[in-house]
Amino acid sequence: MARTVWDSTVGKKTVMAVSGLVMLLYLVAHMIGNLKIYFGAEEFNHYAHWLRTVGEPFMHYEWTLWLIRVVLVIAVVAHAVSAYQLSRRDIKARPSKYVHSKPRSSYATRTMRWGGIILGLFIVWHLLDLTTGTVHSGGFETGKPYQNVVDTFSTWYGNVIYIVAMLALGLHIRHGFWSAAQTLGAGSRTRDRALKTTANVLALLLTIGFVAVPVGVMTGVVS
């Protein structure tokens, strides 16, 4: 039954919608946590340490954090695979291009695929930069995320990569939230306007919230 659901277009869209909403919930929590950087190094570093002790003593050190990571990896892979397969299925269904020369979909809709690729590459860079320290500039310091964040956003390329990715994220959320609502049956004539407004507000708040961190470093508010 699971295979039958997965092989169907509706099934893939449902997987894409649910995995997208899981990642959206994480992004909201992640953004709120990121903004703690404005309260100083001690508070931000303490918050990072707290993430590793959540659930103790029932959960061992970092177990909750690793559980969250596993769920996120599953969500990202499921989202990417379903998106790719739906894209291939769409191309096979209409091998010839549309007759209309003027695109009728929104800018966010037309850039969903490229936005997804940009975000995928960004996730890899972000992990190598601030989690493993592999590509980090200025000397990666284990257990000192505040200093590592300041190092990253003290470089022009760190700011460019991050801000471009966050703009792509905003567009992705704006269209993705709306699509997920339709897929899961939440859309209707009476709720469509509210759903569109919610999608726009979420996209705007998340974009501003994430971009506020590099802006804070660039302006010297966070140093």
Side-chain angles (χ1 to χ4, degrees):
M1 182 178 177
R3 183 57 186 269
T4 302
V5 172
W6 170 250
D7 287 341
S8 69
T9 298
V10 173
K12 292 183 188 299
K13 286 184 176 181
T14 301
V15 169
M16 195 172 176
V18 173
S19 60
L21 291 176
V22 169
M23 290 187 286
L24 180 60
L25 289 174
Y26 167 76
L27 286 170
V28 171
H30 188 42
M31 179 200 69
I32 294 171
N34 280 1
L35 292 176
K36 286 181 176 291
I37 201 167
Y38 279 93
F39 293 95
E42 184 177 353
E43 173 128 358
F44 191 72
N45 289 341
H46 176 71
Y47 163 70
H49 175 73
W50 172 80
L51 288 175
R52 288 159 173 76
T53 61
V54 173
E56 288 187 339
F58 178 76
M59 298 291 281
H60 194 62
Y61 182 74
E62 285 195 343
W63 278 14
T64 302
L65 184 60
W66 274 105
L67 180 62
I68 294 171
R69 287 170 175 168
V70 170
V71 171
L72 283 173
V73 168
I74 294 172
V76 169
V77 171
H79 197 76
V81 171
S82 56
Y84 174 76
Q85 292 185 356
L86 283 169
S87 176
R88 298 301 301 172
R89 186 168 292 185
D90 183 52
I91 292 173
K92 288 180 180 179
R94 51 172 183 80
S96 58
K97 295 182 178 180
Y98 286 124
V99 176
H100 306 287
S101 58
K102 184 178 180 180
R104 295 185 175 183
S105 57
S106 68
Y107 182 77
T109 304
R110 299 197 306 272
T111 55
M112 281 296 284
R113 290 174 188 170
W114 282 110
I117 293 172
I118 290 171
L119 291 172
L121 294 173
F122 168 75
I123 290 172
V124 174
W125 174 82
H126 196 52
L127 291 174
L128 292 175
D129 178 35
L130 293 175
T131 300
T132 67
T134 307
V135 299
H136 185 76
S137 62
F140 184 79
E141 298 182 70
T142 303
K144 294 185 177 180
Y146 182 93
Q147 289 79 358
N148 294 331
V149 169
V150 171
D151 284 344
T152 291
F153 297 129
S154 294
T155 62
W156 68 267
Y157 59 86
N159 290 311
V160 170
I161 293 173
Y162 193 87
I163 292 174
V164 168
M166 292 308 101
L167 292 175
L169 176 67
L171 290 173
H172 210 75
I173 290 172
R174 180 174 177 267
H175 178 70
F177 181 85
W178 165 253
S179 296
Q182 302 304 308
T183 298
L184 298 176
S188 69
R189 286 187 177 181
T190 57
R191 291 194 293 263
D192 277 357
R193 178 174 293 183
L195 287 171
K196 287 181 179 179
T197 301
T198 302
N200 290 333
V201 170
L202 272 173
L204 184 62
L205 288 178
L206 283 168
T207 301
I208 293 174
F210 279 117
V211 170
V213 177
V215 169
V217 176
M218 283 188 288
T219 57
V221 176
V222 176
S223 63

